[in-house]
Amino acid sequence: MYIIHIQHSLRLLLEEQMSNKDCFNIIAFGSDIVPWQLELVPSQPENLQKAWRWVLSLQCKGSRNLMSALRRAVEIDFKDKDKHKSQGLYLLTTGIPDHETHTISAYVAEVCRGFDLQLHVCLFSVMEEVDSNGIIPAHYANPTETASAFKEIVQGANGRFHWFGEAGIFESDDITIIVSEMEKANKYSQKCAFLVESLKQRSVNQSVNPFIPEGDSNVLTKEEKRRPQKLPSPKPTALSLARMYIKDNHGAERNASRRVQAWRPTNAKAEIPPGPVYQKYPKVTCVGKSVPSVTLPNKEEICSSKEWLTKYSIKKLKLDLPRLLFGPGCTHQQKTVASLHKKVSAKYCTVFPSVEINGVVKHLQFQPKELEIYTEQLEKVLRRYVERIQWLLSGSRRLFGTILEANVCILVDTSGSMDPYLPHVTKELTSLIWEQLRKNKVRFNLLRFAENTESWKECLVEATDETCHDAVQWVSTFHAHGNTCTLMALQKALSFQGIEALYVLTDGRPDTSYSLILTEVERLRKNQDIKIHTISFNCADRGANEFLKKLASQTGGRYHCSFGDVDGQLAAHRMLTEGLDDEDDPVFPYFEGDDLKKLTQEVAKARGFLKQAKSLRLLLQKWNINQKDNSVCLKNAQA
């Protein structure tokens, strides 16, 4: 009853973590041992796809012959353990093995000794370890005993233990280590706070009567002891007297001289006269702007790219290069040319280097070090942009985009033209149900439409394990036939109570006219703000795509198109591994979807600024070298 959940987790594993490994294999074990391949194979896209198809064919039966599975992996897949840097066995199981724990532990410790081979256990704890008739299996242990047994096995294999279930993570070595470090840091923080407080108290106690010797404490009364004593005035030093003679434009020299004469002590009891000694000079206004330090979130936010960029765009982060470098005080001096009868910008400047920006010559009042800091900050932002693009191109977001609302209905086109693609769409829809709807606790309903419409439920339902299993089962019955009755589907979906948004996936133009659909949708939405997000799937009809864009724009929704996702993933990977500064290679494909389009436009803008900043830095370095050479020549000429 958990095979669908396990298959979904294996799909995410293959998709998110296996692409950067050298080799892999999968072994299914029950009573029999069934390997996917005879030996380890490279982690190439075609192998990962074949492995996923094989995972879909797995069936649950038999007992739990773990020892045979371990021997199969070690004696064939890991027979040349000393030739590789690191190797790992990841065991996914739901209960105690058929063999005794000490037997498995001894075998694992023996085969892992002397090599970088580790066994990691992922224990999936189900509610009860009994069959449908309530019969306890031959080798049975409760969840706590099972976890203890696998901890012993993992300890002998230098691996990690991960115990999880439907309610979440029960125990994890990785999390335990981090939590222990957090507790240690918290204790150190408390100790530091205690020490600081004790030092403050000690300083206060010493400052009450610092000049009274311990033996003369009986000279003062009790009230005087409690009252803080005044400190004697220190004698002025030569440096202090010299500072009094600072000249200014308002007779500060004369006033300072008078203050020094009045202040010069005649005896040890002289005190400093009241009033300021130093003149307060006006603060100099700086024309240049400092490069801001950027802070970006590590966790992805579930929002549209438009909303995300309102907080983290180049302009919002104040990294717009022209605004940062060339303020109003940076305009180059202008000179009147008699022959032209007008003022023009001068070509050269002896104080600052100048560059031409949009036809205007301006001073460059930045130093190479400041441009280097700007480059570091912009590369940090660019890397974060590319990571979010990777996130938008992963999982079910690749086809359906990001589900933003809490009450939605998914409309899927099952007309005859969808026949070649329907298996792929149903798999992606299954991933959407588990990855976004279930994970984010979205109330949802499903509706398929062709020449007629059919909804999964008559209202929105909570995304529980039970409802998600039922939804996946209903999706598996999809078959393609008939025409595309889009208007009827929208009318049906808009009638659901509490609906906030519709997600419409289709591969072509509807049966009815575009204007009729737009008018009818606007009428139905008149008293309720329901967004309609449109998803163009494998649609080469430009007119149909323009209609979907207009439908989304009219209702405040987003348009999404999965075209170019593979090239986009490749470009993002190359940017993060090969560099971000070359704006000509690699480049993202042209994304028509709103989310990816806005984000890639911001990436192109940032890469342009990055290239410009590096060229300006080289210009400044050359200019500084020339200035030094000119200064040396001038000194030699004077000599």
Side-chain angles (χ1 to χ4, degrees):
M1 55 189 294
Y2 297 96
I3 186 63
I4 295 178
H5 180 73
I6 293 173
Q7 287 171 338
H8 173 69
S9 300
L10 284 171
R11 177 198 170 96
L12 295 178
L13 175 69
L14 294 171
E15 184 179 80
E16 298 175 358
Q17 299 196 51
M18 296 305 299
S19 59
N20 62 342
K21 309 302 178 188
D22 293 335
C23 300
F24 79 106
N25 196 5
I26 305 176
I27 298 175
F29 67 94
S31 301
D32 302 323
I33 311 302
V34 184
W36 168 55
Q37 295 291 336
L38 297 179
E39 292 185 355
L40 291 170
V41 297
S43 296
Q44 299 172 348
E46 56 269 19
N47 288 335
L48 294 173
Q49 186 66 28
K50 291 177 182 177
W52 164 241
R53 290 179 182 143
W54 180 78
V55 166
L56 288 176
S57 66
L58 293 179
Q59 300 293 329
C60 297
K61 60 182 178 178
S63 56
R64 197 176 288 115
N65 191 357
L66 175 59
M67 180 63 83
S68 297
L70 292 174
R71 284 178 174 170
R72 169 62 180 72
V74 171
E75 294 172 7
I76 297 180
D77 285 335
F78 300 116
K79 58 184 177 182
D80 298 324
K81 296 186 291 293
D82 54 339
K83 294 183 180 180
H84 301 279
K85 291 183 180 179
S86 63
Q87 297 170 104
L89 281 163
Y90 286 82
L91 169 65
L92 172 62
T93 183
T94 59
I96 199 76
D98 292 348
H99 300 81
E100 295 294 335
T101 302
H102 62 84
T103 304
I104 299 176
S105 180
Y107 174 76
V108 169
E110 180 66 27
V111 298
C112 294
R113 185 178 298 126
F115 302 101
D116 193 4
L117 173 63
Q118 300 173 336
L119 171 65
H120 311 284
V121 174
C122 305
L123 177 60
F124 179 36
S125 182
V126 298
M127 296 301 295
E128 288 294 336
E129 185 70 25
V130 295
D131 62 13
S132 58
N133 297 322
I135 302 174
I136 297 178
H139 195 188
Y140 173 76
N142 60 41
T144 305
E145 294 171 347
T146 303
S148 300
F150 279 113
K151 285 182 188 177
E152 180 182 343
I153 295 172
V154 164
Q155 188 175 6
N158 298 320
R160 293 170 294 136
F161 178 67
H162 185 76
W163 182 16
F164 70 103
E166 292 179 295
I169 298 176
F170 301 119
E171 184 176 345
S172 173
D173 289 347
D174 289 334
I175 296 177
T176 300
I177 292 173
I178 294 176
V179 170
S180 65
E181 287 297 313
M182 291 171 63
E183 292 175 350
K184 189 187 297 183
N186 186 34
K187 290 180 181 179
Y188 284 158
S189 175
Q190 293 175 357
K191 289 181 180 179
C192 287
F194 175 77
L195 290 173
V196 169
E197 187 63 31
S198 63
L199 287 173
K200 286 182 178 178
Q201 188 66 31
R202 181 181 177 184
S203 176
V204 170
N205 294 337
Q206 288 182 347
S207 66
V208 173
N209 293 309
F211 295 103
I212 300 176
E214 189 174 347
D216 297 338
S217 60
N218 56 355
V219 177
L220 300 176
T221 63
K222 293 182 179 180
E223 184 179 354
E224 290 175 333
K225 289 181 182 180
R226 288 193 296 268
R227 186 169 59 248
Q229 303 298 312
K230 291 185 177 179
L231 297 176
S233 303
K235 293 183 178 180
T237 62
L239 180 61
S240 299
L241 292 174
R243 286 173 176 168
M244 298 300 175
Y245 291 97
I246 299 173
K247 293 183 179 181
D248 56 34
N249 296 328
H250 304 285
E253 180 181 4
R254 182 173 62 257
N255 295 335
S257 175
R258 292 173 180 172
R259 280 195 292 268
V260 170
Q261 292 176 2
W263 180 84
R264 185 173 295 141
T266 58
N267 53 55
K269 297 182 179 180
E271 296 184 358
I272 299 176
V277 176
Y278 302 106
Q279 179 182 2
K280 292 183 179 180
Y281 293 94
K283 192 174 181 182
V284 179
T285 304
C286 181
V287 177
K289 301 177 182 178
S290 60
V291 179
S293 179
V294 175
T295 303
L296 295 169
N298 295 323
K299 187 178 179 181
E300 295 296 349
E301 299 179 20
I302 301 177
C303 62
S304 65
S305 291
K306 183 178 180 180
E307 295 173 354
W308 196 78
L309 288 174
T310 57
K311 296 184 287 185
Y312 309 115
S313 65
I314 299 293
K315 183 178 180 180
K316 190 67 177 180
L317 297 174
K318 299 181 180 179
L319 291 177
D320 194 305
L321 186 61
R323 290 178 176 270
L324 194 63
L325 290 183
F326 311 112
C330 297
T331 304
H332 200 284
Q333 62 180 348
Q334 292 186 331
K335 183 178 180 181
T336 303
V337 180
S339 60
L340 297 176
H341 303 288
K342 66 178 182 179
K343 290 185 177 182
V344 297
S345 296
K347 188 176 180 182
Y348 302 104
C349 181
T350 58
V351 180
F352 296 109
S354 55
V355 293
E356 184 175 342
I357 303 295
N358 297 328
V360 180
V361 178
K362 293 190 175 184
H363 296 315
L364 183 59
Q365 298 183 356
F366 254 41
Q367 294 299 319
K369 182 62 179 177
E370 292 173 302
L371 282 173
E372 182 182 352
I373 296 173
Y374 173 81
T375 301
E376 292 175 356
Q377 295 296 319
L378 193 59
E379 286 180 342
K380 178 181 175 182
V381 173
L382 253 174
R383 193 171 291 106
R384 186 65 186 85
Y385 286 169
V386 176
E387 289 173 355
R388 184 166 178 87
I389 290 175
Q390 284 185 320
W391 180 72
L392 291 173
L393 290 173
S394 65
S396 59
R397 289 175 293 273
R398 182 175 56 245
L399 179 60
F400 289 93
T402 310
I403 306 298
L404 305 181
E405 296 80 10
N407 301 279
V408 301
C409 180
I410 314 296
L411 290 76
V412 180
D413 182 0
T414 58
S415 60
S417 58
M418 288 285 292
D419 187 53
Y421 316 108
L422 206 54
H424 173 69
V425 171
T426 55
K427 289 178 183 179
E428 293 294 335
L429 188 54
T430 301
S431 179
L432 172 73
I433 292 170
W434 289 107
E435 184 183 1
Q436 296 197 59
L437 304 182
R438 177 66 181 96
K439 182 179 179 180
N440 300 325
K441 299 179 180 178
V442 178
R443 294 178 69 243
F444 73 103
N445 197 359
L446 305 174
L447 188 147
R448 60 184 177 189
F449 63 96
E451 55 189 13
N452 295 310
T453 63
E454 180 183 0
S455 61
W456 168 53
K457 300 289 185 181
E458 291 304 318
C459 60
L460 301 183
V461 298
E462 299 287 344
T464 64
D465 285 350
E466 182 181 358
T467 56
C468 288
H469 279 297
D470 187 51
V472 170
Q473 183 66 32
W474 186 76
V475 166
S476 65
T477 63
F478 281 8
H479 62 280
H481 67 283
N483 301 324
T484 309
C485 189
T486 307
L487 179 58
M488 188 185 300
L490 291 172
Q491 290 171 335
K492 174 72 173 177
L494 289 170
S495 66
F496 294 135
Q497 291 294 325
I499 195 76
E500 293 180 32
L502 308 181
Y503 287 79
V504 184
L505 182 143
T506 181
D507 72 333
R509 63 176 60 211
D511 294 344
T512 50
S513 69
Y514 299 153
S515 59
L516 176 61
I517 296 177
L518 295 173
T519 304
E520 181 65 15
V521 166
E522 195 61 27
R523 185 186 66 82
L524 294 172
R525 291 181 63 255
K526 191 171 185 179
N527 298 324
Q528 48 188 349
D529 183 18
I530 301 176
K531 295 181 174 63
I532 299 180
H533 308 282
T534 56
I535 303 160
S536 174
F537 176 74
N538 199 48
C539 182
D541 190 336
R542 177 56 55 183
N545 285 335
E546 290 300 325
F547 159 70
L548 293 176
K549 290 179 184 179
K550 191 169 184 179
L551 177 61
S553 176
Q554 178 178 298
T555 59
R558 294 166 295 134
Y559 171 75
H560 182 76
C561 179
S562 61
F563 177 76
D565 56 340
V566 177
D567 294 336
Q569 289 172 339
L570 178 61
H573 175 73
R574 287 185 59 194
M575 283 185 195
L576 294 177
T577 55
E578 298 177 8
L580 301 162
D581 53 348
D582 187 0
E583 59 179 329
D584 298 323
D585 182 56
V587 294
F588 284 110
Y590 176 74
F591 290 113
E592 293 190 3
D594 292 338
D595 284 338
L596 290 169
K597 183 178 181 180
K598 284 182 172 60
L599 208 50
T600 50
Q601 287 173 347
E602 199 72 12
V603 167
K605 180 180 178 182
R607 294 178 83 182
F609 286 161
L610 185 62
K611 184 178 180 180
Q612 188 178 3
K614 291 188 176 182
S615 64
L616 290 175
R617 186 183 173 204
L618 291 176
L619 172 66
L620 276 174
Q621 290 173 342
K622 291 179 181 178
W623 189 83
N624 288 336
I625 293 172
N626 293 335
Q627 291 294 99
K628 290 179 182 178
D629 293 342
N630 293 337
S631 178
V632 170
C633 292
L634 180 61
K635 288 181 180 178
N636 293 337
Q638 290 174 347

